[in-house]
Amino acid sequence: MELYIQTNGRFMLNGKWFRLFNILIFILIFHLNNIGQSKPPFERMDVFDLEWVTDPQISPDGQMIVYVRNAMDIVNDGKTRRLWMINSDGSNHRKLTSLDVNEGNPVWSPDGKKIAFTASTEAGNEIFVFWVSSGQAARITSLENSPSGLSWSSDGKYLAFSMFVDGTELSLVKPPQKPKGAKWADPPRITTRLKHEADGMGYMKPGFSQIFVLPSDGGSVRQLTHDDYNHRAPLVWSKDDIEIFFSGNRKSDWEYDFRNSEIYSVSLVDYTIRALTDRDGPDHSHALSPDGNTIAYLGYNDKKQTFQNTLLYTMKKDGSTKKYIPTGKDISISNPVWDSKGEGLFYMFDETGETKVGYSDVNGNSKTIVGKLGGISIGRPYGGGSFSVSSNGDVAFTYSTPYHPSELALIRNGQNEIIKLTSLNDHLLSHRELGQVEEIWYTSTFDNRKLHGWIVKPPNFDRNVQYPLIVELHGGPTANYSGTFTPEIQLYASAGYVVFYPNPRGSTSYGEEFGNLLYHNYPGEDYNDVMDGVDVVIQKGYIDENQLFVTGGSAGGIMAAWMIGKNNRFRAAAVIKPVMNWISKTLVADNYYGYADTQLPGQPWENFETYWKFSPISLVGDINTPTLVMVGMEDYRTPPSEAKQLYHALKLRKVETVLVEVPGAPHFIANRPSQLITKVDHIIAWFDRYRKKDD
């Protein structure tokens, strides 16, 4: 093969090899130019490019998985939900339907030939059925309100669902007849209900959730329940399809017995309803064994404390022979699923800040199947996730690491290898330099308990540099952070801050006793736990201890306000959607009825001094830290009046402060992507204002 030709005494590459030579030179120059150059950090507009998996549902034979693919909508400043399908070997990844609307709640038929799901229409959410063999989908309902809790009958001929049915409210007066064409003010809104508003919803229409059935190929809808009680999912068909099991509270004082729930059955023949459980405590999340004879369910005997583990039980389908199934762990479990032989149950639980899938046989012999679930909370790194199980024991689940939101993953029965089936975020995150996440354990100076947290370092971290530190505190307080992907904290790291986020006492996933340490004592020694963690991080040598900042939302906002009332170590604080005054919060919030005795002893008028003692506003006279206060203007959980109490008090004391009110935002203040971005932008801008700059 001749590479060169001679021309005028010179040797030159022929045309083919000349082109190849140029390509090689280009590649060499490209790589030389990029030596030493790092990828850009995660940026605020990257939030709009994130995608994440929720609700993976594996087919009964384990061959296919349908899941909800979530993404950000930059045009409408919202989130989209589309159903996607993939073979369990990772092949043939495709959108389930041709619908270009929000879809969700996929449920496989028992024979694996159809999938029921809900999708939005101009009239609201409706039920659709997808035929796997043909790839066709059809709408089978036209409903007055949105359905939920879809469930197939065992023979696949019917679907059950739950739906809100409008009711009526008390009317005290009959308004006068207004003249034709007159534009009068709206009539007053009247309620007699204990719970009449909810965060994210606002005023709740009167009415109740009822149970319905319809043929799975379409037809008339039949209502099974009618009484003025809420009838909740899961809706579980009996083996012979003549009754449906559900949960609710049908006791006469159900409004005031709000922590309680029971498991019931309703007959499809004569509509009679039977209670299968009856104790002071929540019973729910029931699942029927494959032979149809045993019901597994979750619950506990309510001790009226701040936190209790949710435990696993079984009973016969008539409610007899109730039995506690130990798991061998001090954990709270959710989502029980029978194995195909009826020998035991899969379930989900949080342990030391990590969400996992476990398994217990009916005798209580237990094991952990897989961990690393999560990444579904797009914002801060809360635990959580979901999973499903095929008849052969394969588990599909939401899989996350500190470096990507939830992807779809699979673990085969009896194997330990996690098979990652999707890479929805590689197009973005493979081209970003993320802050490295480090897990830390440390010891409480108060009582020597082991405490847990995470450190996130700025991209291109240099341990010889002294960095400012942001302490980020979780809500709840009975909740937990985990080591999963978090765009908010990555944005703080990209701005040049080291971030420390801990799980102080009162956090879940460390056992019932640890989660209940704030009983009648909140805020309490969780303050010490956080400050101990701050000192441990400072001891690592790369933190400028004169540049400490603190932020947190909800319960984290309470703790942030409490911390700056207890010490002056922080250069600035960002207190997000806090409770400042337990007396006012308890009687104004949407869950106003739920605090007495479990959170604090008695009602505010019965124990004024204790409610005041644990209110951060009681410390406001000692706050000298420049403080940003932020709240959603539609927050019904920690109402704007709470944030304003802190802002107004600091203004009166001439402490540097600013009030940021986010229009349209509920308690989940970063509900829309632009709100997530503006939340982080304001916090960083406030901290940068007080951050010492290099000379």
Side-chain angles (χ1 to χ4, degrees):
M1 181 168 52
E2 188 172 299
L3 301 181
Y4 295 88
I5 58 175
Q6 184 174 357
T7 305
N8 297 327
R10 299 179 180 178
F11 286 91
M12 300 180 63
L13 289 168
N14 67 26
K16 175 182 176 182
W17 291 98
F18 182 81
R19 289 191 296 274
L20 178 59
F21 179 79
N22 281 340
I23 292 172
L24 293 173
I25 291 295
F26 174 82
I27 293 173
L28 178 62
I29 293 173
F30 177 83
H31 283 287
L32 288 173
N33 286 338
N34 283 275
I35 290 176
Q37 292 186 8
S38 62
K39 295 177 286 188
F42 187 76
E43 301 169 351
R44 59 184 183 175
M45 290 302 290
D46 291 339
V47 167
F48 284 104
D49 291 327
L50 294 174
E51 296 188 70
W52 63 104
V53 172
T54 57
D55 200 11
Q57 295 296 320
I58 192 167
S59 61
D61 64 6
Q63 297 301 305
M64 292 174 285
I65 304 167
V66 60
Y67 70 92
V68 181
R69 183 170 179 169
N70 303 267
M72 299 295 192
D73 183 347
I74 195 170
V75 174
N76 298 302
D77 192 20
K79 299 165 186 171
T80 62
R81 301 182 305 278
R82 304 289 190 266
L83 291 180
W84 280 64
M85 179 97 83
I86 190 171
N87 294 345
S88 59
D89 63 3
S91 64
N92 199 16
H93 192 202
R94 68 275 192 193
K95 191 177 182 305
L96 186 71
T97 75
S98 60
L99 299 174
D100 190 23
V101 297
N102 283 331
E103 303 165 321
N105 307 299
V107 186
W108 287 92
S109 63
D111 61 8
K113 295 181 179 180
K114 292 181 283 188
I115 300 170
F117 64 97
T118 60
S120 59
T121 69
E122 292 182 358
N125 279 354
E126 298 289 353
I127 299 174
F128 288 70
V129 170
F130 174 84
W131 283 262
V132 176
S133 60
S134 67
Q136 298 297 310
R139 171 178 164 178
I140 63 169
T141 61
S142 180
L143 302 171
E144 294 183 4
N145 290 306
S146 294
S148 62
L150 303 185
S151 175
W152 290 89
S153 61
S154 61
D155 62 10
K157 295 180 179 180
Y158 292 91
L159 283 164
F161 63 94
S162 178
M163 185 176 69
F164 181 81
V165 177
D166 294 341
T168 58
E169 191 62 274
L170 175 69
S171 177
L172 293 176
V173 300
K174 183 178 181 180
Q177 184 70 35
K178 63 181 180 182
K180 184 178 181 180
K183 297 181 180 179
W184 288 11
D186 292 335
R189 195 174 69 194
I190 299 174
T191 190
T192 59
R193 291 166 288 152
L194 180 75
K195 186 170 183 63
H196 55 94
E197 56 189 11
D199 187 70
M201 294 175 57
Y203 177 74
M204 299 169 61
K205 295 192 302 181
F208 295 91
S209 180
Q210 306 291 357
I211 299 172
F212 300 81
V213 295
L214 81 157
S216 60
D217 56 359
S220 61
V221 174
R222 182 160 57 117
Q223 184 172 341
L224 301 184
T225 60
H226 295 81
D227 299 327
D228 288 348
Y229 304 105
N230 287 308
H231 306 81
R232 308 288 192 190
L235 306 180
V236 178
W237 293 76
S238 62
K239 191 74 171 177
D240 55 13
D241 291 333
I242 63 172
E243 60 182 342
I244 292 174
F245 304 101
F246 65 94
S247 66
N249 186 341
R250 291 175 53 88
K251 298 181 178 180
S252 59
D253 65 342
W254 65 272
E255 272 197 296
Y256 294 89
D257 193 20
F258 50 85
R259 274 186 290 271
N260 192 28
S261 62
E262 309 296 348
I263 297 171
Y264 301 87
S265 68
V266 57
S267 168
L268 277 76
V269 178
D270 59 11
Y271 305 151
T272 56
I273 293 176
R274 295 182 300 123
L276 304 181
T277 61
D278 183 15
R279 65 171 169 182
D280 186 9
D283 292 315
H284 54 87
S285 302
H286 42 285
L288 189 66
S289 62
D291 64 8
N293 294 323
T294 305
I295 297 174
Y297 63 102
L298 304 181
Y300 56 79
N301 295 304
D302 193 354
K303 294 181 281 189
K304 303 296 189 294
Q305 58 191 41
T306 300
F307 173 75
Q308 286 184 239
N309 281 338
T310 298
L311 306 175
L312 177 63
Y313 299 85
T314 60
M315 62 181 170
K316 296 299 183 183
K317 66 178 181 179
D318 62 0
S320 65
T321 320
K322 294 179 175 64
K323 176 185 175 183
Y324 164 61
I325 306 297
T327 62
K329 291 177 177 286
D330 185 7
I331 56 174
S332 187
I333 68 176
S334 62
N335 193 27
V337 178
W338 284 95
D339 66 26
S340 60
K341 297 180 180 179
E343 296 175 346
L345 295 113
F346 298 86
Y347 48 82
M348 196 164 67
F349 67 98
D350 284 357
E351 185 177 40
T352 58
E354 182 181 358
T355 304
K356 303 176 180 180
V357 175
Y359 175 86
S360 292
D361 68 23
V362 292
N363 296 314
N365 299 306
S366 304
K367 60 183 177 181
T368 297
I369 302 299
V370 69
K372 300 186 182 301
L373 276 72
I376 63 173
S377 174
I378 301 301
R380 295 184 286 165
Y382 284 108
S386 56
F387 76 98
S388 62
V389 185
S390 69
S391 59
N392 62 2
D394 293 347
V395 177
F397 63 99
T398 53
Y399 168 65
S400 182
T401 73
Y403 308 110
H404 64 76
S406 61
E407 299 282 0
L408 178 63
L410 181 73
I411 187 162
R412 300 287 186 185
N413 184 18
Q415 300 181 15
N416 296 319
E417 180 188 3
I418 294 176
I419 304 169
K420 186 165 169 279
L421 297 177
T422 63
S423 298
L424 304 182
N425 295 280
D426 278 9
H427 69 284
L428 169 66
L429 298 181
S430 63
H431 301 287
R432 293 292 182 267
E433 189 72 34
L434 296 177
Q436 295 299 299
V437 180
E438 175 187 347
E439 183 179 12
I440 65 167
W441 287 87
Y442 58 99
T443 303
S444 163
T445 58
F446 175 74
D447 56 10
N448 294 316
R449 291 178 186 274
K450 293 297 182 183
L451 302 170
H452 192 200
W454 290 264
I455 300 169
V456 183
K457 301 167 186 174
N460 304 308
F461 172 77
D462 181 350
R463 68 172 304 106
N464 296 314
V465 172
Q466 294 282 288
Y467 290 94
L469 175 69
I470 292 177
V471 181
E472 215 287 344
L473 305 164
H474 73 64
T478 50
N480 66 268
Y481 273 159
S482 63
T484 56
F485 179 78
T486 160
E488 290 189 24
I489 291 178
Q490 285 291 340
L491 288 171
Y492 296 145
S494 293
Y497 292 85
V498 171
V499 185
F500 168 57
Y501 63 94
N503 279 340
R505 69 191 62 215
S507 300
T508 52
S509 79
Y510 303 91
E512 181 172 297
E513 190 256 353
F514 188 88
N516 198 43
L517 285 173
L518 302 182
Y519 177 61
H520 292 182
N521 185 38
Y522 173 65
E525 288 75 35
D526 46 334
Y527 163 75
N528 305 76
D529 294 348
V530 175
M531 295 309 301
D532 285 343
V534 170
D535 290 335
V536 168
V537 177
I538 289 173
Q539 290 169 12
K540 290 182 174 291
Y542 49 76
I543 300 299
D544 183 345
E545 60 182 312
N546 294 313
Q547 295 205 78
L548 306 181
F549 302 85
V550 62
T551 187
S554 194
I558 297 171
M559 181 50 61
W562 192 261
M563 288 167 63
I564 59 177
K566 289 284 190 178
N567 70 69
N568 292 312
R569 293 180 63 182
F570 296 92
R571 293 185 68 87
V575 177
I576 314 300
K577 54 186 181 186
V579 173
M580 291 304 299
N581 184 336
W582 284 113
I583 300 164
S584 56
K585 141 73 177 182
T586 300
L587 295 176
V588 173
D590 66 333
N591 60 346
Y592 68 98
Y593 49 82
Y595 287 88
D597 297 323
T598 55
Q599 187 76 65
L600 292 168
Q603 295 287 359
W605 59 88
E606 299 170 333
N607 203 346
F608 183 92
E609 292 79 9
T610 300
Y611 272 71
W612 179 255
K613 181 178 74 172
F614 289 110
S615 296
I617 199 69
S618 68
L619 303 178
V620 76
D622 297 322
I623 295 177
N624 297 300
T625 305
T627 302
L628 175 146
V629 186
M630 183 184 295
V631 69
M633 295 174 70
E634 300 298 326
D635 191 333
Y636 282 74
R637 184 61 46 86
T638 55
S641 58
E642 291 296 309
K644 288 180 180 179
Q645 288 182 61
L646 176 59
Y647 172 71
H648 291 162
L650 293 180
K651 288 301 290 184
L652 290 172
R653 293 193 57 248
K654 298 183 179 179
V655 176
E656 293 177 86
T657 184
V658 62
L659 176 64
V660 180
E661 298 177 288
V662 183
H667 189 63
F668 183 20
I669 200 169
N671 186 47
R672 305 176 73 173
S674 72
Q675 291 170 338
L676 186 157
I677 292 169
T678 199
K679 173 193 171 185
V680 173
D681 280 354
H682 279 86
I683 293 171
I684 292 174
W686 184 252
F687 289 171
D688 281 351
R689 183 185 179 100
Y690 298 96
R691 176 176 169 180
K692 288 195 308 183
K693 303 298 182 182
D694 294 334
D695 295 334

